[in-house]
């Protein structure tokens, strides 16, 4: 029986391609996490690019834990926000539960005064129920204006946060709350400070008189609980300006 040269060449190419696909899909000599951390090259990234169809989510899916969760007390990964080129940075927790929340770990650098967000007449953390959370989303998919929607009962709350470019050295974040569904709702911002705080005009100051938070007329201050509370309507909005680095009152947002 005669076998044509073309058939043999085709068979060889098929076998080589099949073996390549199998090896690429199941790399046997994949670098360990320790090797990746010690290397000056992106070992996993380079290996992913060698796959038949290039890098993919499936390649990395089992290499690391889900990115949403971290070992800090706030559990959900933080989104770092700051003005372009600023050395001062703030962190928004990606479930919308707070700004500059404490990690309570020596491996994390703590920054600013924590402010946590709660919703409802019986305040519960924003984003507490993951199934009711939509986001985070970025403006146009890439601009650093972070939007999160959270459903609590029949009410849907929206939280939008971005870094100010006018107060870059203080890493000021503006956080605005509104309703996308429901006739009314309650938002509470709790300032997690062990030191005494006081209200001066539309600002919350520390014991040295430095501004930690500025707020619009929608909010009411409770000194004992160290909370700001806003009652939202279907058309209302409530805005906070939160300084990571405390500010003098004469230069803070008004």
């Amino acid at each position: 029986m005669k076998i044509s040269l073309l058939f043999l060449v085709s068979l060889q190419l098929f076998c080589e391609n099949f073996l390549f696909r199998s090896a690429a899909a199941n790399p046997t000599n994949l670098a360990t996490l320790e090797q990746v951390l010690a290397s000056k090259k992106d070992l996993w990234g380079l290996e992913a690019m060698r796959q038949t169809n290039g890098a993919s989510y499936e390649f990395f899916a089992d290499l690391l834990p889900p990115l949403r969760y971290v070992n800090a007390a706030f559990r959900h990964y933080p989104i770092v926000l700051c003005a372009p080129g600023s050395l001062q940075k703030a962190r928004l927790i990606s479930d919308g539960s707070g700004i500059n929340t404490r990690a309570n770990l020596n491996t994390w650098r703590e920054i600013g005064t924590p402010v946590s967000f709660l919703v409802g007449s019986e305040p519960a953390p924003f984003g507490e129920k993951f199934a009711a959370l939509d986001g985070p989303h970025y403006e146009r998919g890439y601009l650093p204006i972070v939007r999160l929607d959270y459903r609590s009962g029949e009410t849907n709350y929206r939280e939008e946060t971005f870094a100010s470019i006018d107060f870059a050295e203080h890493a000021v974040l503006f956080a605005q709350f509104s309703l996308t569904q429901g006739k009314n709702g309650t938002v509470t911002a709790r300032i997690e400070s062990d030191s005494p705080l006081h209200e001066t005009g539309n600002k919350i100051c520390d014991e040295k008189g430095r501004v930690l938070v500025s707020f619009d007329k929608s909010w009411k201050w409770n000194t004992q609980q160290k909370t700001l509370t806003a009652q939202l309507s279907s058309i209302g909005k409530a805005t906070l300006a939160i300084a990571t680095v405390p500010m003098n009152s004469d230069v803070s947002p008004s």
Side-chain angles (χ1 to χ4, degrees), residues 216-236:
D216 65 19
K217 61 182 181 181
S218 303
W219 301 89
K220 292 185 178 181
W221 172 244
N222 184 309
T223 303
Q224 290 185 333
Q225 297 181 0
K226 297 180 180 177
T227 58
L228 286 162
T229 302
Q231 302 297 331
L232 295 175
S233 66
S234 58
I235 59 173

Side-chain angles (χ1 to χ4, degrees), residues 86-199:
S86 175
L87 296 179
Q88 301 296 339
K89 307 179 191 301
R91 64 185 180 213
L92 166 70
I93 308 308
S94 60
D95 64 351
S97 60
I99 289 172
N100 296 332
T101 306
R102 289 287 178 259
N104 294 329
L105 285 173
N106 292 332
T107 51
W108 288 74
R109 178 173 175 264
E110 305 292 14
I111 54 176
T113 300
V115 179
S116 56
F117 302 129
L118 306 100
V119 295
S121 56
E122 297 182 1
F126 188 108
E128 180 180 40
K129 297 179 180 178
F130 183 66
L133 180 67
D134 180 15
H137 300 288
Y138 294 89
E139 182 71 19
R140 301 184 189 176
Y142 66 94
L143 293 174
I145 302 174
V146 185
R147 184 183 75 251
L148 296 113
D149 289 338
Y150 183 64
R151 186 177 69 258
S152 176
E154 300 299 319
T155 305
N156 197 77
Y157 295 87
R158 172 161 292 180
E159 176 186 327
E160 296 177 284
T161 307
F162 66 93
S164 167
I165 61 173
D166 296 321
F167 304 99
E169 66 275 20
H170 296 277
V172 172
L173 297 189
F174 283 90
Q176 185 178 83
F177 296 88
S178 59
L179 301 181
T180 60
Q181 182 178 323
K183 295 182 179 180
N184 53 70
T186 304
V187 177
T188 301
R190 178 182 295 136
I191 303 176
E192 312 283 354
S193 173
D194 295 330
S195 302
L197 303 176
H198 63 274
E199 178 184 10

